[in-house]
Amino acid sequence: MLRPSNTDTIRVGDKKFAISVPASRIQKEVERVAAEISRDYSGREPLFLVVLNGAFVFAADLLRAVTLESQVSFVKLSSYNGADSEGKVRQLIGLGEDVRGRELIVVEDIVDTGLTMTRLLETLKAHEPASVDICTLLLKPGKLQTDLKIRYRAMEIPDDFVVGYGLDYDGRGRNLRDIYSIINE
Ligand code: IMP
């Protein structure tokens, strides 16, 4: 990953990216969402379920800005398992906490088509939580294919592929402080 100090463009792997959301704006929006959650869940103790890997940076900032007594657990979706992306056979790994009867807030990095989140919700519902809310850092409204109810979103972005602040391109770029959008060359 190359980040020249005097430009707002970088290379991640074989692609070029330009800064699209600076760290200062991200922090502002994350704090806004944390305040909304703290207000809506006042007096309650939700369990935050953070979806790895992409949401780890967002979750670290969000949870430290939330003023509630709360718990956090981490889950991961397996790679596609013997199916192509149409088959979407993915398993939920790491659901160690007993989610039955709990108020869950699922923390995701990005909702694109929404198919991943829809399947995740189906799996979670089989564990009979009291409720499930979604909190995503990014939403691409132009790509959404499902009627997901997304209660909390930090930012809506155009359809372009992005990296940084936890999101990767081919495993790289997660440690960037800002969010960058792909430049189609
Ligand atoms: P969906 O099922 O189409 O909503 O895709 C969700 C997953 O695709 C996210 O959790 C990300 O892992 C990945 N993804 C979608 N768009 C992007 C992007 O622009 N940058 C990095 N990862 C993305």
Side-chain angles (χ1 to χ4, degrees), residues 108-116 140 160-162 167-168:
E108 226 335 354
D109 56 351
I110 186 163
V111 174
D112 187 286
T113 62
L115 296 174
T116 304
K140 293 179 184 169
D160 312 317
F161 189 85
V162 292
L167 292 108
D168 74 305

Side-chain angles (χ1 to χ4, degrees), residues 84-101:
D84 59 21
S85 55
E86 290 303 301
K88 298 271 182 179
V89 182
R90 297 183 84 177
Q91 284 175 340
L92 192 59
I93 302 167
L95 200 61
E97 301 285 332
D98 189 5
V99 301
R100 188 181 306 270

Side-chain angles (χ1 to χ4, degrees), residues 10-11 16 19 25 27 30 39 45 47 56 71 79 87 89 100 113 117 119 133-134 142 147 160 172:
I10 54 165
R11 230 166 228 296
K16 209 169 162 187
I19 196 163
R25 161 106 199 274
Q27 290 311 318
V30 170
R39 182 198 61 212
E45 192 176 340
L47 172 62
F56 79 106
Q71 292 179 316
S79 309
V89 182
R100 188 181 306 270
T113 62
M117 183 59 81
R119 283 181 175 77
D133 273 333
I134 299 169
D147 63 350
D160 312 317
R172 300 187 176 94

